[in-house]
């Protein structure tokens, strides 16, 4: 059974622990050597060996208030877009031919990332329709530049569940000076709290094949997305390699790898205060995020 490394909060204190498959949060003593997840990831060469030897079954249970986003905060969040075949088709596009270069955009790491149970806050509801996007997120443990696809998975510390919430009403501008400015990726993808992440980081050594994982997302208990990562156009390894040609990857970088079919946009569906979004990837865990307005109201 898989387990993940989580960041928990109790009062004013935060710490690292292990979330077991049975839902228990426990504290193997070896995790105390790192004060934060970013520190652990920065020490990944040693941390991986220690995590491989972790005995989670007999570790003491942690008394905690909440689970935070596992990485507070990522150094970079590099998102892949249009990376699932069926999703491209549902949005009216054509699946690109072999040799397609991945499309990336950035999310501000310190303001978009929220925890596995934090609220998704819908702002500007009159002009922006908030959509859901279940995604597999890759967490980098060993940095590098110009990484080959063949060696890319050796740079992965682990994987998380993510939901790349998109403010679609801000995505397309009506009056622009040139076609290049029609799509406003910054406004659509950078709203505060638009990347629920967690519940923890499942070490890569527990995931034999990141292209064989099942993603699902429900809104108010109704299944919206259900797909395998095998439907990706560019594999996890190819995404890492392509991103590293542009920027130097660092320990603690997060790469959400695109969303499968089932988003709301194509069906006129969107998130409203009062909704509850549940996102899961088999073997990695589940996010459960309520949707509120800025005042915290759910209706």
């Amino acid at each position: 059974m898989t387990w993940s490394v989580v960041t928990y909060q109790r009062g004013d204190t935060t710490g690292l622990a292990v979330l077991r498959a049975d839902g228990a949060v426990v504290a193997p003593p070896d995790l105390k050597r790192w004060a934060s997840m970013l520190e652990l990831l920065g020490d990944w060469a040693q941390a991986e060996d220690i995590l491989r030897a972790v005995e989670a079954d007999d570790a003491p249970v942690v008394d905690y208030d909440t689970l935070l986003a596992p990485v507070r905060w990522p150094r970079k969040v590099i998102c892949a877009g249009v990376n699932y075949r069926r999703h491209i088709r549902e949005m009216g596009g054509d699946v690109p031919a072999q040799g397609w270069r991945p499309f990336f955009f950035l999310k501000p790491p310190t303001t978009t990332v929220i925890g596995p149970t934090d609220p998704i806050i819908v702002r500007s509801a009159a002009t922006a329709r908030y959509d859901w996007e279940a995604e597999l997120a890759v967490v980098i443990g060993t940095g590098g530049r110009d990484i080959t696809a063949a060696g890319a998975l050796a740079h992965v510390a682990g994987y998380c569940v993510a939901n790349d919430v998109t403010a679609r009403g801000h995505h397309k501008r009506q009056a622009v000076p040139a076609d290049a400015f029609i799509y406003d990726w910054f406004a659509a993808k950078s709203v505060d709290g638009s990347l629920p992440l967690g519940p923890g980081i499942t070490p890569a050594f527990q995931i034999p094949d990141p292209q064989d994982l099942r993603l699902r997302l429900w809104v108010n208990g109704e299944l919206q997305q259900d797909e395998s990562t095998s439907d990706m156009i560019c594999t996890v390894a190819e995404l890492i390699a392509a991103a590293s040609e542009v920027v130097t990857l660092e320990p603690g970088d997060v790469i959400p790898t695109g969303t499968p079919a089932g988003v709301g946009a194509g069906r006129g569906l969107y998130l409203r205060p009062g909704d509850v979004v549940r996102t899961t990837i088999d073997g990695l865990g589940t996010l459960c995020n309520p949707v509120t307005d800025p005042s915290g109201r759910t209706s």
Side-chain angles (χ1 to χ4, degrees):
M1 299 293 288
T2 60
W3 46 262
S4 62
V5 184
V6 298
T7 299
Y8 70 88
Q9 182 172 27
R10 183 183 181 189
D12 295 330
T13 301
T14 62
L16 300 182
V18 164
L19 174 62
R20 297 192 315 217
D22 62 4
V25 175
V26 299
D30 281 338
L31 288 183
K32 292 182 179 179
R33 68 181 64 200
W34 299 289
S36 70
M37 191 74 77
L38 202 56
E39 186 177 307
L40 181 152
L41 293 167
D43 189 29
W44 184 245
Q46 181 178 10
E48 181 178 13
D49 289 339
I50 291 170
L51 291 177
R52 284 180 180 272
V54 157
E55 296 289 346
D57 291 344
D58 300 323
V61 174
V62 174
D63 183 15
Y64 69 99
D65 297 326
T66 190
L67 295 182
L68 305 174
V71 187
R72 301 176 68 224
W73 291 263
R75 296 188 185 278
K76 296 186 285 294
V77 177
I78 307 168
C79 299
V82 292
N83 196 39
Y84 279 76
R85 295 174 179 87
R86 290 181 57 224
H87 175 53
I88 289 180
R89 294 189 186 104
E90 77 173 342
M91 300 299 283
D94 296 321
V95 177
Q98 188 173 4
W100 159 256
R101 294 286 299 167
F103 176 85
F104 293 108
F105 57 89
L106 299 174
K107 291 176 84 81
T110 60
T111 51
T112 59
V113 174
I114 60 174
T117 61
D118 289 339
I120 298 167
I121 300 174
V122 171
R123 296 177 172 83
S124 306
T127 57
R129 294 190 169 188
Y130 283 58
D131 204 348
W132 54 84
E133 295 189 11
E135 305 205 10
L136 170 68
V138 176
V139 182
I140 297 298
T142 302
R145 185 176 175 91
D146 296 323
I147 298 166
T148 66
L153 294 186
H155 291 258
V156 178
Y159 302 95
C160 294
V161 184
N163 181 4
D164 175 23
V165 177
T166 303
R168 296 204 184 274
H170 290 325
H171 198 197
K172 193 172 183 179
R173 294 183 177 185
Q174 299 304 312
V176 294
D179 288 347
F181 304 106
I182 288 176
Y183 292 103
D184 189 342
W185 287 92
F186 175 75
K189 294 291 191 177
S190 299
V191 293
D192 290 355
S194 61
L195 190 67
L197 187 70
I201 298 175
T202 302
F205 58 76
Q206 296 189 76
I207 305 300
D209 183 2
Q211 304 309 141
D212 187 25
L213 297 172
R214 184 184 183 188
L215 299 83
R216 285 171 290 170
L217 182 145
W218 297 260
V219 178
N220 302 328
E222 184 174 344
L223 184 65
Q224 302 292 340
Q225 293 183 281
D226 187 357
E227 187 61 87
S228 167
T229 52
S230 63
D231 193 51
M232 285 185 186
I233 296 168
C234 298
T235 65
V236 168
E238 290 167 340
L239 292 174
I240 293 169
S244 76
E245 291 179 9
V246 180
V247 297
T248 298
L249 297 182
E250 302 170 282
D253 285 351
V254 173
I255 306 177
T257 55
T259 197
V263 299
R267 296 171 287 156
L269 304 176
Y270 55 95
L271 295 174
R272 298 177 173 88
D275 290 342
V276 176
V277 185
R278 185 160 59 97
T279 313
T280 190
I281 299 177
D282 289 358
L284 303 187
T286 299
L287 313 176
C288 190
N289 302 97
V291 181
T292 74
D293 69 11
S295 70
R297 291 193 298 264
T298 57
S299 62

